[in-house]
Amino acid sequence: MIKKVHLGFENDCVTIPVADILPVRVLSKSIKSSRKYTQITASIREIGLVEPPVVARNGDASGGWLLLDGHVRIEVLKDLGQEQVECLVSTDDEAFTYNKRISRIAPIQEHRMILKAIERGVSEEKIAAALDLNPRSIQRKVKLLDGICPEAIAILKDKACTAAVFTHLRKMIALRQIEAAELMVNANNYSVAYISAILAGTPQAQLVDANKPKRIKGVTPQAVARMEKELARLQEGITQIQDTYGQDHLQLTVLRGYVAK
């Protein structure tokens, strides 16, 4: 028997008066002075609304709409004097349920979107204006993956890594980049501090410039050597766990079924 699939959104977008949309949370008083607000305003002014707000039908007699996602965008539209907006209509009116399923754009995805825009003839200056960024920032985003091996890119494609993470990865050879990416994923840690520790623990032979001694501020050569050994043991332990994970999971599943009987 085929199960009926529940759609998360109605099939068609709807155009709604901005005044009929009821926010489900209050924005902070400082939001309009934030960089995020300035960027969204510049983007809408330059190229229009890219990502439509998400609303749900209000069940009461007012017949209005509940705003689930896009509070800042709606506030910007009000400031710009726009009276109507095209929205996605969610079939679930719980803002928490909706927001927890959202996957925000990762730096690698942003990099690819910018490249596609450039391929279509959009200038770096126009992209910078739309995102309210310095043109040099766009150039850095374009070159984000220079020197990064395809395997490491695939591992981190949807991860929230900062540009500094790729700067550190670029100092490692391809094999080490893959190991470093796996370490970050396994630890669910994509901070600059963590990738800096991985770089500090990387053997000299696994650096792109193997002849240049590592110099890490505040860390002695002896401490670096210890970090290399500890990181190697950690990587070995992770590999062993990965090798036995499938078998362990199968055994636990069988045991769970036996106990349930």
Side-chain angles (χ1 to χ4, degrees), residues 9-259:
F9 299 96
E10 294 184 7
N11 290 328
D12 300 317
C13 288
V14 294
T15 300
I16 302 170
V18 174
D20 290 350
I21 299 174
L22 178 65
V24 298
R25 63 183 176 87
V26 179
L27 295 175
S28 66
K29 294 181 179 179
S30 61
I31 187 65
K32 291 192 177 184
S33 60
S34 68
R35 180 164 184 77
K36 177 182 178 181
Y37 194 87
T38 305
Q39 286 182 325
I40 292 175
T41 301
S43 177
I44 292 175
R45 186 182 290 116
E46 285 288 332
I47 59 177
L49 194 63
V50 176
E51 184 180 359
V54 178
V55 297
R57 297 179 185 277
N58 196 350
D60 62 23
S62 68
W65 304 83
L66 297 175
L67 179 60
L68 304 185
D69 182 69
H71 287 71
V72 176
R73 276 166 277 159
I74 290 296
E75 196 64 28
V76 169
L77 291 176
K78 289 178 180 178
D79 286 349
L80 294 177
Q82 188 163 326
E83 296 180 354
Q84 293 187 322
V85 59
E86 191 174 67
C87 299
L88 283 171
V89 181
S90 174
T91 56
D92 189 340
D93 63 358
E94 291 292 335
F96 173 76
T97 303
Y98 174 78
N99 284 321
K100 75 176 182 179
R101 292 176 183 168
I102 292 178
S103 179
R104 301 298 179 186
I105 187 168
I108 289 180
Q109 294 169 331
E110 182 186 41
H111 159 83
R112 289 172 174 167
M113 287 176 63
I114 290 174
L115 286 184
K116 284 183 180 179
I118 292 174
E119 289 172 2
R120 291 171 182 169
V122 182
S123 68
E124 292 182 359
E125 290 75 15
K126 191 171 184 64
I127 295 172
L131 298 177
D132 191 35
L133 293 172
N134 188 296
R136 291 184 180 179
S137 296
I138 299 299
Q139 293 169 5
R140 286 195 293 270
K141 291 178 184 295
V142 169
K143 298 178 180 178
L144 180 73
L145 302 181
D146 288 2
I148 309 298
C149 71
E151 293 81 3
I153 293 173
I155 293 171
L156 299 174
K157 64 182 179 181
D158 58 350
K159 309 303 180 187
C161 305
T162 64
V165 167
F166 298 100
T167 299
H168 284 66
L169 284 175
R170 207 171 284 119
K171 297 176 182 179
M172 309 173 193
I173 62 173
L175 182 61
R176 184 56 176 171
Q177 288 180 7
I178 298 170
E179 292 177 348
E182 289 176 342
L183 282 170
M184 286 188 287
V185 171
N186 289 327
N188 193 28
N189 189 340
Y190 308 99
S191 66
V192 176
Y194 191 57
I195 189 61
S196 298
I198 294 175
L199 178 62
T202 299
Q204 196 70 33
Q206 293 185 343
L207 296 177
V208 172
D209 194 350
N211 297 322
K212 185 178 179 180
K214 282 185 293 185
R215 293 180 180 177
I216 303 173
K217 187 176 181 180
V219 182
T220 65
Q222 293 79 8
V224 170
R226 286 197 301 271
M227 290 175 69
E228 290 179 3
K229 292 179 181 179
E230 291 171 3
L231 206 57
R233 284 198 295 268
L234 176 61
Q235 183 69 38
E236 184 179 350
I238 290 173
T239 302
Q240 290 175 351
I241 292 172
Q242 290 173 334
D243 290 341
T244 60
Y245 175 79
Q247 183 179 352
D248 293 343
H249 186 269
L250 176 60
Q251 290 175 349
L252 287 171
T253 302
V254 173
L255 288 171
R256 180 184 176 186
Y258 178 77
V259 171

